[in-house]
Amino acid sequence: MENSWSEKRLQLKEKFIDAIADTMDLYGIVPSVAKLYGIMFFEDEPMTLEKMKDVMGMSKSNMSYAVRALVDSKMVVKLDNKKERKDLYQAESNFYTAFQNFFATKLQREMDVMVNAIGEVTPELKELILHIDTPDDVRKQALKDLHKLVHATEYYAWLQTFIEQINEGEIFRKKADGDRDADATNGGK
């Protein structure tokens, strides 16, 4: 009977790991990398690359890539201590912190790329608009383009504020305050 309970628990865990992989796939994480995160999420002890390789059945080079992707997105941390001279890795198991790390990193990357592009394109677009030899139809279209870039700049300024709120945990404090307000309204129930 004990065995059937253990099997049921493993089936349920596997179902949740698959859901994690499906969800992370929506955000551009390769399914095998996402599945590795799901497996590490349930591990009580840090894992070596060797153990991950055995559990996942992947080559060491693919496993290295997967771990690097998770470390870069701050979903997994490389620990300072080692086990038998092998690096140890542990998944972030707090979903709020995982969200905070993952999205802040991805959004900051998007913002950096786009703000850089806007910074490069805007001066040249202004030159095109102001140049005496620019045909009127091109000037009008370039002016429309410039207005779109101004709007994009406003969006990325807002996004930077949002990223800072994520990094500072501000959005989670608002949720916690909302939970307390709801508790107070329900008489603490």
Side-chain angles (χ1 to χ4, degrees):
M1 187 64 164
E2 175 75 27
N3 197 24
S4 65
W5 289 108
S6 291
E7 287 176 22
K8 180 66 174 174
R9 181 186 150 270
L10 291 175
Q11 289 171 350
L12 294 171
K13 185 169 82 168
E14 188 64 33
K15 186 174 186 176
F16 192 75
I17 289 170
D18 289 344
I20 288 174
D22 288 346
T23 302
M24 290 177 75
D25 181 50
L26 295 171
Y27 300 105
I29 301 294
V30 177
S32 60
V33 174
K35 185 168 181 153
L36 175 61
Y37 171 75
I39 289 167
M40 293 179 75
F41 175 82
F42 281 105
E43 280 294 315
D44 293 328
E45 299 293 324
M47 295 178 76
T48 63
L49 280 175
E50 192 68 31
K51 183 174 179 185
M52 290 179 227
K53 182 177 83 80
D54 293 343
V55 170
M56 292 286 294
M58 293 171 63
S59 70
K60 195 163 189 170
S61 62
N62 285 343
M63 189 53 56
S64 268
Y65 168 79
V67 170
R68 195 171 331 111
L70 290 170
V71 168
D72 288 348
S73 65
K74 299 181 181 174
M75 300 289 291
V76 167
V77 294
K78 180 179 175 182
L79 303 178
D80 291 333
N81 53 333
K82 295 182 181 243
K83 181 178 182 179
E84 299 171 9
R85 296 182 314 210
K86 293 180 181 178
D87 291 330
L88 290 169
Y89 299 88
Q90 188 151 29
E92 176 57 63
S93 60
N94 179 313
F95 276 125
Y96 288 105
T97 303
F99 171 90
Q100 183 178 6
N101 293 340
F102 180 80
F103 282 102
T105 301
K106 296 290 185 188
L107 291 172
Q108 188 67 55
R109 169 109 172 88
E110 173 194 345
M111 202 196 76
D112 292 344
V113 168
M114 294 305 293
V115 167
N116 186 47
I118 290 169
E120 288 180 16
V121 169
T122 299
E124 292 183 45
L125 197 53
K126 286 179 179 178
E127 281 182 33
L128 184 65
I129 292 167
L130 296 174
H131 197 279
I132 195 155
D133 294 329
T134 302
D136 280 344
D137 60 326
V138 173
R139 185 184 327 276
K140 286 178 184 176
Q141 194 58 49
L143 196 53
K144 287 180 183 180
D145 294 343
L146 183 61
H147 285 290
K148 290 177 182 179
L149 292 181
V150 167
H151 177 73
T153 300
E154 293 168 0
Y155 166 74
Y156 286 110
W158 170 84
L159 184 60
Q160 182 61 53
T161 301
F162 181 64
I163 292 167
E164 289 167 7
Q165 289 175 339
I166 290 173
N167 283 331
E168 295 166 4
E170 182 66 28
I171 60 173
F172 303 124
R173 282 192 287 280
K174 289 179 182 178
K175 189 219 178 295
D177 291 344
D179 288 348
R180 279 195 294 277
D181 292 345
D183 286 346
T185 304
N186 295 328
K189 296 178 184 172

